[in-house]
Amino acid sequence: MKLLLVACTVAGLLSANCAASEIQELEKRCDSNSGLACLDLSVAYYTARGAEKSIPKSLKYGEKSCELKESMGCLFLGALYEEGEGVDKSLEKAFRLFKKACELNDPLGCRKVGGMYNTGTGVERSSTKVKEYFEKAAALGDGTAMAVLSSLYDNEDDEKAFEYARKSCNARFAPGCTHLGLLYLKGKGTPQSYLKAAESFRRGCDLGDSDGCANLSPLYENGKGVPKSLGKAKELAIEGCDEGNGIACNNLGLLYDTGNGVKKSYKSANKLYEKACNLGAGAGCANLGVSYQKGKGVEPSLQKALELYEKACEMGAGLGCNRLGFLYFDGDGVKRSYKEASTYFEKGCALGFSASCWSMGYLYFNGQGVKKSLDKAAEFYGKACELGYEIGCQDYASLVK
């Protein structure tokens, strides 16, 4: 268990060894209603530092600390009940304790409550409450909460998503910087900028987020926002992949797939795509699907391609949804269904995949799988254009003359 408090130095009152005399002094201070002293005692008895391990005493002092409005005492107890460490596991008790910590203006308490509302752990799920508690945590300066809110508002309110990502990055929360880079890359909630995307990815990378480093690789490959450097692109991809980052493995696979900066090898590319897929990078699953569909370095298999596209789409990879859409549009390996095609194209578009937006416009223009609507066609062509799909710009312009 990752205890919220794991040493006897919570309030800076105890030495590393937690001498018995210090325990006695803390007991006196706790009896005088010092919440921090009670908290230190709770941790000391739990960790057996300076005192014989005693869960009952740890709970006793932890409860008093919480009652004395020491938020960290509430958090410590909540963690014990959440994990069932030395006590009967009770998610309901954990929830109440985290909520009390939040009421005491502890951002971690608010974030824990928001997370429990999100998963329905110890309390009924509520998307409204999720945002309420994460927003309180963010207002208290919690960078993690800001990043979560940015993701929650993604595809719902682009401006809020951008603002929370910006705040999270300014709070030096590495994944927040990476997400900010993705928003700059897609032009969501802010004008599109490869330069600012690269700066944000670099900051995320420097702060320790491997996704930030991985997302820099294709920018160096294509010279977007940074000077073109295939060597740097390869270096970042190899480093990230070796550290178990799926995005980096997929990027390295693309280099071998195209022979960009390395000797072209479909087999090497496919191994990397498979590794990326297994590491949770949907784009890796989708690209491996393309290899199976086209027979690049593997025996062609539409069934395998279909399975990989489905997995990729479920994982949020727009390319996977887009390829599924075309399988159903063309009746390639599946029964032709324009309606099914529209389902996957629409999902791909929602995930920011420009070609899927254009395909939705095409379906509405021709009334295939959806009711014909030139207004809807223009809407999707416009989205494709905003995402940098040139044909979408041309088709949009032809409809709004």
Side-chain angles (χ1 to χ4, degrees), residues 315-332:
M315 293 167 73
L319 173 61
C321 304
N322 190 63
R323 300 296 302 194
L324 272 176
F326 275 109
L327 289 184
Y328 280 102
F329 184 86
D330 295 329
D332 200 0

Side-chain angles (χ1 to χ4, degrees), residues 26 59 112 161 196 236 286 300 380:
L26 283 175
L59 292 174
K112 292 291 291 185
K196 290 184 177 180
L236 285 165
F380 280 102

Side-chain angles (χ1 to χ4, degrees), residues 179-192:
H179 192 220
L180 181 63
L182 291 172
L183 295 177
Y184 274 121
L185 195 63
K186 299 175 183 177
K188 296 183 69 174
T190 184
Q192 197 276 344

Side-chain angles (χ1 to χ4, degrees), residues 217-233 260-261:
S217 177
L219 295 185
Y220 275 108
E221 179 187 359
N222 297 293
K224 293 184 175 180
V226 290
K228 184 170 182 175
S229 172
L230 294 177
K232 188 65 176 177
N260 215 357

Side-chain angles (χ1 to χ4, degrees), residues 227-358:
K228 184 170 182 175
S229 172
L230 294 177
K232 188 65 176 177
K234 180 183 176 183
E235 176 188 331
L236 285 165
I238 291 175
E239 182 179 336
C241 188
D242 286 346
E243 292 176 358
N245 185 284
I247 297 172
C249 293
N250 178 67
N251 290 340
L252 188 57
L254 287 170
L255 292 179
Y256 279 103
D257 202 337
T258 59
N260 215 357
V262 296
K263 185 178 179 180
K264 190 169 186 174
S265 170
Y266 291 141
K267 287 187 177 180
S268 295
N270 291 336
K271 286 181 180 178
L272 288 160
Y273 291 150
E274 185 173 17
K275 183 177 180 179
C277 184
N278 291 336
L279 286 169
C285 306
N287 283 319
L288 186 57
V290 173
S291 292
Y292 274 104
Q293 186 178 1
K294 297 184 177 181
K296 297 197 303 180
V298 292
E299 285 295 318
S301 172
L302 284 174
Q303 181 58 39
K304 188 68 175 176
L306 177 67
E307 292 171 1
L308 286 163
Y309 292 152
E310 287 175 341
K311 183 176 182 179
C313 188
E314 288 170 4
M315 293 167 73
L319 173 61
C321 304
N322 190 63
R323 300 296 302 194
L324 272 176
F326 275 109
L327 289 184
Y328 280 102
F329 184 86
D330 295 329
D332 200 0
V334 293
K335 183 178 179 181
R336 173 174 282 176
S337 170
Y338 294 135
K339 185 176 181 180
E340 282 294 307
S342 71
T343 298
Y344 289 113
F345 285 142
E346 187 166 20
K347 185 172 182 179
C349 180
L351 289 167
F353 198 77
S354 60
S356 288
C357 299
W358 180 86

